[in-house]
Amino acid sequence: MARVRTWAGIALAAVLGIALTGCSSTGGKRAEDARKAQAQGRAAVDTPRWTIGMVTHSGDGDTFWDIVRGGAEQAAVKDNINFLYANHDEGKEQAQLVDSYIDKKVDGLIVTLAKPDAMKASLDRARKAGIPVITVNSGSAESKKFGALAHIGQDEVIAGEAVGEELNKRGKKKALCVLHEQGNVGHEQRCAGARKTFDGRMQNLYVDGTNMPDVQSGISAKLQADSGIDAVVTLGAPFADTAVKAKEDVGSKAEIDTFDLNAKVAAGLKSRTLGFAVDQQPYLQGYEAVDLLWLYKYNADVLGGGRPVLTGPEIVTEKDAGKLEELAKRGTR
């Protein structure tokens, strides 16, 4: 399960360890008390009950964002945070949700920048209001420019490049990259990165991700029209299973691969109906975002030094499926 990693995660653990343990003579007991408190659903700290709002570009029913939110909520319990969550897949509406949290005078904001132009004015308003912002998942290129403290996620170009390299290792020659959300800059970056390192030919297929029958029929039509396609790469876990069905519809031998992970993807890796997945550890994105805002409020700590704190990519295959399936079922991978 080896892929790009970052020392920032290690630094976070070290900083948090220092914050919780204090001097070495009492640190062990304090750390143990903190673990017990978290396990019992109680705060592990005695800092003020700050309010943090998270606004993502998720559409309804997207299991990926359930995992991000789960990580954020777990960190919020530990850090005595009042956690608010809202989402909308349209940039204008997402910005309005951010503005509503600014009006509520939250103590911190976590936002995604899938459609950065729509979010710029809202983040500028947050900065003027003195509300610290951390971006997650998408928008690493714009995060610092828009005034965020840090960005947590994977670099989408690097993730795409990892996919191209993996396809080369598997001897693939012609691939389809399925984009399910038009206007999402991260999706374009993933496919562009894959195309950059892939030695074969790769073409984009745009589908309506809110309409699974449309996704399935679009992939089926492409596979039926071109029997030379030997790999299909979807950009989200819910679409991998649909791509498998499309492949079966037309009797294609193409390998189905995907970005992101959920229980179905883990099961697909195990049964080898899927070739590989790119895990960006969404639980970690939500958890670290809340934790970093708590650290900033408590101790003025900032990670990344202006560069993204990377949570991926990790290429996972059937050899990782057993453990991942167990973790995915509990909703943390």
Side-chain angles (χ1 to χ4, degrees):
M1 199 189 293
R3 213 51 207 161
V4 179
R5 297 200 182 261
T6 175
W7 286 104
I10 297 172
L12 175 64
V15 171
L16 184 55
I18 292 169
L20 291 176
T21 60
C23 64
S24 59
S25 61
T26 59
K29 184 178 185 304
R30 289 180 183 174
E32 181 61 25
D33 288 345
R35 283 192 291 272
K36 288 179 180 177
Q38 186 177 356
Q40 295 167 4
R42 296 185 289 110
V45 296
D46 59 1
T47 48
R49 189 162 175 76
W50 293 308
T51 296
I52 290 175
M54 172 182 271
V55 183
T56 74
H57 64 276
S58 168
D60 292 334
D62 190 330
T63 56
F64 176 90
W65 292 102
D66 292 341
I67 301 170
V68 175
R69 182 177 180 176
E73 289 174 339
Q74 185 64 48
V77 170
K78 175 180 67 67
D79 293 338
N80 193 32
I81 296 295
N82 177 34
F83 180 72
L84 308 176
Y85 180 86
N87 63 283
H88 204 289
D89 56 2
E90 293 297 332
K92 180 181 178 182
E93 286 77 3
Q94 186 190 2
Q96 289 172 350
L97 290 169
V98 171
D99 287 339
S100 72
Y101 282 166
I102 294 171
D103 291 339
K104 290 179 180 178
K105 298 181 180 179
V106 296
D107 299 293
L109 277 167
I110 302 165
V111 302
T112 61
L113 299 178
K115 297 170 183 175
D117 290 343
M119 298 291 290
K120 185 176 182 181
S122 294
L123 264 63
D124 186 54
R125 190 172 166 231
R127 180 183 57 79
K128 290 177 179 176
I131 299 173
V133 176
I134 285 181
T135 59
V136 298
N137 181 260
S138 54
S140 60
E142 294 82 12
S143 178
K144 184 178 180 180
K145 186 167 51 178
F146 285 9
L149 296 176
H151 178 82
I152 302 169
Q154 70 181 5
D155 183 294
E156 302 293 14
V157 175
I158 292 174
E161 290 173 352
V163 167
E165 292 166 359
E166 185 66 22
L167 291 173
N168 291 338
K169 290 178 185 177
R170 292 165 177 262
K172 304 304 177 184
K173 303 299 180 185
K174 197 169 189 179
L176 194 64
C177 195
V178 184
L179 297 93
H180 60 267
E181 185 182 337
Q182 293 198 38
N184 186 320
V185 294
H187 288 184
E188 296 287 350
Q189 290 170 338
R190 288 178 179 183
C191 292
R195 191 175 298 108
K196 179 181 176 181
T197 56
F198 183 40
D199 294 335
R201 291 176 56 196
M202 176 173 284
Q203 63 181 119
N204 288 357
L205 172 65
Y206 293 90
V207 295
D208 179 4
T210 64
N211 184 344
M212 279 301 186
D214 175 75
V215 175
Q216 186 171 334
S217 62
I219 297 172
S220 293
K222 276 291 184 181
L223 292 176
Q224 193 164 34
D226 189 349
S227 60
I229 295 174
D230 56 8
V232 176
V233 180
T234 63
L235 301 187
F239 304 95
D241 187 53
T242 302
V244 170
K245 293 175 183 175
K247 166 187 170 176
E248 293 170 349
D249 283 347
V250 299
S252 170
K253 295 183 179 179
E255 177 180 282
I256 309 299
D257 306 304
T258 190
F259 281 80
D260 302 332
L261 190 70
N262 63 14
K264 277 192 173 182
V265 169
L269 293 173
K270 189 175 182 178
S271 66
R272 300 194 178 186
T273 55
L274 298 178
F276 67 88
V278 184
D279 184 19
Q280 60 173 306
Q281 302 185 101
Y283 185 88
L284 190 59
Q285 291 178 13
Y287 192 98
E288 283 203 8
V290 170
D291 222 23
L292 287 184
L293 279 175
W294 176 82
L295 283 165
Y296 179 77
K297 295 286 293 183
Y298 172 68
N299 204 44
D301 290 312
V302 178
L303 285 184
R307 297 188 178 187
V309 179
L310 299 182
T311 62
E314 291 191 48
I315 299 292
V316 294
T317 65
E318 73 279 356
K319 72 180 185 338
D320 310 302
K323 184 63 175 176
L324 290 174
E325 189 175 29
E326 176 187 333
L327 298 174
K329 284 179 179 177
R330 77 177 188 190
T332 58
R333 290 296 287 268

